[in-house]
Amino acid sequence: MAVIQENDCNLSTPLVTFRRMKLAVFVSGRGTNLLNIINKINDGFLRSEIALVISNHDCEAIESSMRAGIQSVIVDPKDFPGEVEFGNSLLRTLNEARVDLIVLAGYLKKIPDAVVSKFKNKILNIHPALLPSFGGKGMYGMKVHQAVIDYGCKVSGATVHLVDAEYDRGPVVLQRCVPVDSGDTPEDLAAKIHQLEYQLLPEAIELFENNKVKVEGRKVQILRS
Ligand code: GRF
C-alpha cells in the first residue's frame, strides 16, 4: 500500500510525497515473527515502519517490542464490558497511530467486528498450517501440529490470509508447505514452519507495500510485475 500524502500548500502543482506504510503488529506470545519483521525492516527488505505493537497481555513479544523502542500497548478485552467497547478502544489506538495495515503475528484473541470492517482487507494473519485444514477457534500452537501429525498428513505449512469475522477463514494471500517427516514431533514441525513463516509474512507485507494485492471475493490475485 503506497501511501500518498498531498502537502497542503499553495503550489499550482501539489507536492506529492510518499510516507512509509505504518504497521500495527498484534502479538500474544513469544514474538519471534515480530522480531523477524523488525529485522526485515532494519535490513531494508521492508519499507514499512512498526507504529505500534498491541497485545492482550504482558508477554515475551511485548517485552521485545519495548526493548526495540516501539510504542507498545496492552489492550486486554477483559477490561471492557463487551466486544463493542474493546473494539472502540482498539480503533482509537489504531487511528491515533495512523495505522495502515494490521499484522496478527501470534495474536490469540478475536479481532472485534468493528475493527475488521474498518480495516477491511487490511488485516493479515499468519497461521501455522495449510488452511482451511487445521484452523478455527482453539486451533493454535502445538494443538495444530499435533492434529496434523495425528491425521497422518505428509505435508503441512504456513498460510497468510486476510482476516474476516471468523477465525482463520479470510481469503488466502500466500501459502507454502513443508514435509511432515516420519517421527516428527509437534515441536519439530513447529520449528520447520516457523522458518517458513519468517519468509512468508514479510513477503505478504511487501506485497501490500507495493500495491500488488487485488482481492475479489475469496480470491487474492498477486500482481507480479
Ligand atoms: C506462529 O506459529 C503463528 O503462525 C501463529 O502463532 C505463532 C506465533 O509465533 N499464529 P511467534 O510468537 O511469532 O514466535
Side-chain angles (χ1 to χ4, degrees):
M1 194 182 315
V3 185
I4 300 172
Q5 236 174 219
E6 287 198 15
N7 288 11
D8 183 20
C9 56
N10 286 327
L11 294 175
S12 50
T13 316
L15 192 60
V16 176
T17 54
F18 289 89
R19 71 172 172 82
R20 297 165 75 192
M21 189 170 77
K22 287 179 188 276
L23 306 177
V25 183
F26 282 50
V27 289
S28 297
R30 284 198 305 148
T32 63
N33 277 285
L34 167 67
L35 285 176
N36 182 58
I37 295 169
I38 295 172
N39 289 339
K40 293 290 181 189
I41 291 171
N42 291 341
D43 73 15
F45 178 81
L46 292 175
R47 284 182 286 121
S48 304
E49 61 180 301
I50 302 178
L52 192 60
V53 171
I54 297 185
S55 182
N56 54 303
H57 62 176
D58 195 10
C59 56
E60 224 177 306
I62 205 101
E63 279 159 26
S64 303
S65 72
M66 288 195 300
R67 267 198 305 278
I70 299 168
Q71 189 191 345
S72 311
V73 197
I74 294 176
V75 188
D76 185 347
K78 289 206 251 23
D79 292 339
F80 300 90
E83 187 194 293
V84 170
E85 294 81 1
F86 174 48
N88 288 341
S89 170
L90 285 177
L91 278 178
R92 251 195 319 278
T93 309
L94 292 163
N95 290 339
E96 273 165 23
R98 301 180 63 204
V99 166
D100 302 300
L101 183 76
I102 296 174
V103 179
L104 309 184
Y107 183 67
L108 293 179
K109 295 289 168 189
K110 189 159 178 305
I111 299 293
D113 290 348
V115 179
V116 172
S117 43
K118 192 75 203 282
F119 283 82
K120 187 169 181 337
N121 294 338
K122 289 179 186 164
I123 309 178
L124 293 175
N125 180 45
I126 180 121
H127 183 75
L130 296 172
L131 292 175
S133 296
F134 305 107
K137 194 168 174 3
M139 282 302 263
Y140 61 87
M142 292 304 150
K143 287 186 204 172
V144 177
H145 308 301
Q146 186 69 62
V148 167
I149 291 168
D150 290 347
Y151 197 86
C153 292
K154 302 297 184 200
V155 290
S156 189
T159 303
V160 178
H161 67 94
L162 293 164
V163 171
D164 69 8
E166 292 295 325
Y167 279 107
D168 301 330
R169 189 193 61 181
V172 172
V173 179
L174 293 176
Q175 252 175 345
R176 208 158 288 159
C177 27
V178 288
V180 181
D181 296 309
S182 70
D184 268 355
T185 63
E187 289 74 18
D188 295 332
L189 197 49
K192 282 193 264 187
I193 290 174
H194 259 106
Q195 293 306 315
L196 266 193
E197 293 182 343
Y198 301 150
Q199 303 165 7
L200 218 56
L201 192 51
E203 281 178 29
I205 297 169
E206 189 271 341
L207 292 174
F208 278 82
E209 284 181 343
N210 292 299
N211 281 321
K212 290 186 196 157
V213 178
K214 192 171 160 204
V215 186
E216 279 169 353
R218 277 215 63 83
K219 308 271 174 62
V220 177
Q221 197 187 338
I222 307 298
L223 311 169
R224 309 260 181 207
S225 46

